[in-house]
Amino acid sequence: MKKIITLLSIALIWGCKEKKESSTPSIADNLKTYTIEQMMDNESINGGSFSPDQSKLLVSSNRSGIYNMYTVSVEGGDLMPVSASDSSSVFAISYFPKDERMLFNMDNNGDEIDHIYIRNTDGTHRDLTPDTGARASFYGWTKDKKSFLYTSNKRDKRYTDLYEMDLETFTPTLLYKNEGGYYIGPISDDKNFVTLIKPINTNDSDLFLYNRKDKSMTKINQNQSANSGEDFSPDGTSLYYTTDDGAEFAYLMKYNIVDKTHEKVMERKWDIVGSYFTENGKYQVTYINEDAKNAIEVMEVATGKNIQLPTFDGMDINNVLFSDDEKLMRFYAGGSHTPSNLYVYNLETKKQVQLTDVLNKEIQGQDLVNAEVIRYASFDGVEIPAIYYKPHQATADNKAPALVWVHGGPGGQSRQNFSSFIQYLVNHGYAVLAVNNRGSSGYGKTFYQMDDLNHGDKDLKDCVEGKNWLAKQPEIDASKIGIIGGSYGGYMTMAALTYTPEEFAVGVNLFGVTNWIRTLRSIPSWWEAQKEALYKELGDPNSADSVRLRQISPLFHTDKVTKPLIVLQGSKDPRVLQVESDEIVAGVKKNGVPVEYVLFEDEGHGFVKKENQITAYGKVLEFLDVYLKKEKTEPIQDGAKIEMKSDN
């Protein structure tokens, strides 16, 4: 309702403008447009581990151009650099529990082979998981704070085992040998119980409780459904887990370990996507995926009542973490129109301190656009949710070009989060409709499974209907609507240009799948546990399904592409191999269609380095200005390839 009132208020102001000569100018009258360098200079910060004395937070920031570690006082002040990598990004994990040593993880320029490192107080660092080709993931400190738990696929590249790393000797001990293709979930404080998840399909999974003492395995869920372990109760007697058994949306359950009984704990109108207890069990934190943004409830366990969280005009708290003594809470707050800032909140005094101001000082907040959630009926009546970014300068008299934006996946979701790239496009006059086509997560399991074995058909038609919705908006130029997406969204871009060649004016393919047979055969080894589930959703490339997979793979139908295309790719990408983009560019180029190819040799599945983001997104805007907005007259050379190489 608040959004409607705001829009009505603006309409009334515009209406009065015709009657009064002295009126308040609209945002569009004073709109400033920004360069890609300015827009990508918004800082991105994540994490926030409290130091042992709770005086500082350890965070990751990309202010140096790539992610490095920094510390910041809980009272505010400058971020102090801890690492100074100029090649691979460094992501903070945590302070040590009893001293100011730190854990961090790093891969090799996006290859997703993460290792866990220690940074000592003298500034030296060491790889604690040095096994070549093996991935390691931190799972938390043990209750006695003498070790930490982590997973690694060093024994068998297909499966992740559970290990304990002693802090005195830094010698790992194998706690659970995973030979059944499970994902490992929460571990009990006494390290006796390990939760295991066995995927059935991309929605459903079985949940098991493994007892390390007697080697027994207990299945938790009673029916086929989506199940995920969340946390053990503070006293260790029960396991909290989410399930959608008998419902469209996931709810929170409690499984009592001794008597093996189940109890529903919490249910909302949307998916409950996570729940955990703070260090001493004083609070239970629960996340709800509420219409493509996080809603967070923090319950005081003793009273069963939710505590009052800080509130902000036009922003939402999207992530929280408590100090070990449960007196301080660090949180992030932001929105689709403003990047998230880091805060610290004292739960006893109610004092709140903003620690960061990540919006580039050269950017005025009123020039950015607050997205609106809309819904439209698809070709068969299915309601499709989408997030609409309308440029301030777009009116019925000044119609804007537009883009249908498709998220990654399959099974991903466009969310109401800040995107510098989207804001850059909108700031330069492009409307963006981020569609959550059928098969997207967050809208119930029926909707989620609607595209199984149907990719490139009904999900594509949902995107076309999104284009049709845009075309009906008075502020949109119906003849200038393109499609853009990354990964699965890149596939949808190519599917649109291939199978509906007259629907979209241009395509922007960011590291998109173009040959499903090859992609499914070359998925990373560590996805072994999920492989069969992927085959059930997409098809088995080693079976008769390969016929259909070939039919829906744009690479084999490039002769149908008639509209301009730009392709962007990272050469280190382990999910969508570079050859996917190499071949689609070569195939489309044969048609005499304008094609541009931007390749980064030091990026993986997505671009994380500011220098590369500036190049990539700047090239996208240049392409759109020529072929969609058609403001520039100099065409891009057909098949032009820009290869970006790191100096490091």
Side-chain angles (χ1 to χ4, degrees), residues 430 506-508 563-566 594-596 618-629 636:
Y430 292 90
V506 300
V508 180
K563 299 299 170 65
L565 169 69
I566 184 170
V595 182
E596 183 171 1
K619 289 295 179 184
V620 169
L621 184 70
E622 290 177 11
F623 170 85
L624 294 173
D625 283 348
V626 171
Y627 293 107
L628 188 57
K629 190 180 285 186
I636 295 169

Side-chain angles (χ1 to χ4, degrees), residues 325-442:
D325 67 3
E326 301 164 322
K327 294 179 180 179
L328 297 177
M329 179 183 76
R330 70 99 173 120
F331 66 90
Y332 286 89
S336 62
H337 64 298
T338 179
S340 292
N341 276 302
L342 175 63
Y343 300 77
V344 166
Y345 179 67
N346 188 309
L347 287 104
E348 295 179 344
T349 66
K350 311 304 180 188
K351 178 184 176 183
Q352 175 181 307
V353 180
Q354 181 175 340
L355 302 184
T356 63
D357 185 7
V358 296
L359 183 66
N360 182 3
K361 301 298 186 295
E362 297 178 8
I363 295 176
Q364 299 174 15
Q366 66 265 25
D367 293 329
L368 303 177
V369 169
N370 199 354
E372 174 190 5
V373 176
I374 65 97
R375 286 172 167 78
Y376 60 87
S378 194
F379 69 97
D380 56 357
V382 172
E383 184 180 78
I384 305 298
I387 302 170
Y388 183 42
Y389 298 80
K390 175 184 171 182
H392 290 305
Q393 60 268 51
T395 67
D397 296 325
N398 184 35
K399 294 181 182 291
L403 293 162
V404 169
W405 179 288
V406 190
H407 58 69
Q413 181 186 35
S414 283
R415 294 176 60 78
Q416 298 184 61
N417 298 331
F418 182 82
S419 166
S420 289
F421 184 22
I422 289 179
Q423 290 291 343
Y424 176 61
L425 294 173
V426 177
N427 179 248
H428 282 260
Y430 292 90
V432 174
L433 183 70
V435 299
N436 279 312
N437 51 273
R438 70 190 67 199
S440 302
S441 58

Side-chain angles (χ1 to χ4, degrees), residues 597-632:
Y597 187 18
V598 184
L599 177 66
F600 300 97
E601 73 164 18
D602 57 348
E603 294 282 8
H605 198 65
F607 312 138
V608 298
K609 299 177 180 178
K610 280 189 180 181
E611 181 182 3
N612 293 340
Q613 292 172 340
I614 288 169
T615 299
Y617 306 148
K619 289 295 179 184
V620 169
L621 184 70
E622 290 177 11
F623 170 85
L624 294 173
D625 283 348
V626 171
Y627 293 107
L628 188 57
K629 190 180 285 186
K630 299 184 179 179
E631 281 189 347
K632 297 181 180 179

Side-chain angles (χ1 to χ4, degrees), residues 486-605:
S487 191
Y488 163 76
Y491 163 70
M492 292 298 287
T493 292
M494 294 314 309
L497 296 191
T498 303
Y499 306 120
T500 59
E502 299 307 314
E503 292 290 351
F504 295 94
V506 300
V508 180
N509 166 13
L510 294 92
F511 41 89
V513 176
T514 59
N515 180 352
W516 280 113
I517 298 173
R518 176 171 51 214
T519 294
L520 289 171
R521 286 176 177 171
S522 64
I523 60 175
S525 58
W526 56 86
W527 283 18
E528 184 71 22
Q530 188 71 16
K531 186 171 72 174
E532 292 303 319
L534 283 171
Y535 286 179
K536 287 182 180 178
E537 176 179 354
L538 293 159
D540 185 343
N542 304 305
S543 73
D545 289 343
S546 62
V547 176
R548 186 185 58 80
L549 288 170
R550 184 181 178 88
Q551 290 174 342
I552 67 168
S553 294
L555 178 63
F556 304 111
H557 311 282
T558 54
D559 60 305
K560 304 292 195 301
V561 179
T562 61
K563 299 299 170 65
L565 169 69
I566 184 170
V567 178
L568 301 97
Q569 175 74 39
S571 67
K572 299 278 190 183
D573 194 335
R575 305 186 189 199
V576 178
L577 304 180
Q578 179 187 325
V579 66
E580 296 276 305
S581 294
D582 291 346
E583 291 182 354
I584 200 71
V585 167
V588 175
K589 186 180 177 182
K590 292 178 182 177
N591 302 338
V593 175
V595 182
E596 183 171 1
Y597 187 18
V598 184
L599 177 66
F600 300 97
E601 73 164 18
D602 57 348
E603 294 282 8
H605 198 65

Side-chain angles (χ1 to χ4, degrees), residues 177-322:
K177 186 177 181 180
N178 180 12
E179 296 179 299
Y182 300 101
Y183 284 111
I184 295 175
I187 299 101
S188 61
D189 284 347
D190 63 6
K191 297 176 286 188
N192 183 46
F193 291 106
V194 180
T195 55
L196 303 171
I197 301 102
K198 182 70 172 178
I200 300 173
N201 53 50
T202 51
N203 182 75
D204 299 334
S205 56
D206 286 333
L207 180 65
F208 298 90
L209 193 62
Y210 176 73
N211 188 321
R212 293 181 57 237
K213 289 181 179 177
D214 62 18
K215 312 299 182 185
S216 64
M217 182 92 82
T218 303
K219 184 179 177 182
I220 304 300
N221 57 297
Q222 298 167 311
N223 301 297
Q224 181 171 324
S225 49
N227 299 278
S228 177
E230 299 302 330
D231 200 3
F232 286 87
S233 60
D235 62 7
T237 62
S238 56
L239 170 69
Y240 285 75
Y241 68 100
T242 55
T243 182
D244 63 6
D245 187 6
E248 278 296 317
F249 294 93
Y251 51 92
L252 188 64
M253 291 284 291
K254 182 171 75 169
Y255 172 76
N256 297 303
I257 296 173
V258 175
D259 60 16
K260 299 183 179 182
T261 57
H262 301 256
E263 176 187 345
K264 184 181 289 188
V265 175
M266 181 188 297
E267 188 170 20
R268 297 293 182 263
K269 294 180 180 179
W270 301 92
D271 282 324
I272 293 177
V273 293
S275 189
Y276 69 90
F277 291 93
T278 55
E279 179 67 17
N280 300 308
K282 184 174 183 178
Y283 301 106
Q284 184 176 16
V285 180
T286 302
Y287 288 81
I288 301 106
N289 182 359
E290 188 175 285
D291 211 5
K293 66 180 180 182
N294 281 347
I296 300 175
E297 296 183 15
V298 179
M299 182 185 73
E300 189 174 41
V301 174
T303 64
K305 296 180 179 180
N306 290 339
I307 66 172
Q308 182 67 45
L309 297 177
T311 57
F312 301 84
D313 284 338
M315 296 194 301
D316 297 290
I317 294 178
N318 50 56
N319 184 278
V320 302
L321 182 76
F322 286 73

Side-chain angles (χ1 to χ4, degrees), residues 64-76:
S64 69
I66 66 172
Y67 283 96
N68 271 291
M69 292 193 294
Y70 298 80
T71 62
V72 59
S73 167
V74 297
E75 298 298 327

Side-chain angles (χ1 to χ4, degrees), residues 2 30 383 401:
K2 187 174 182 181
N30 297 311
E383 184 180 78

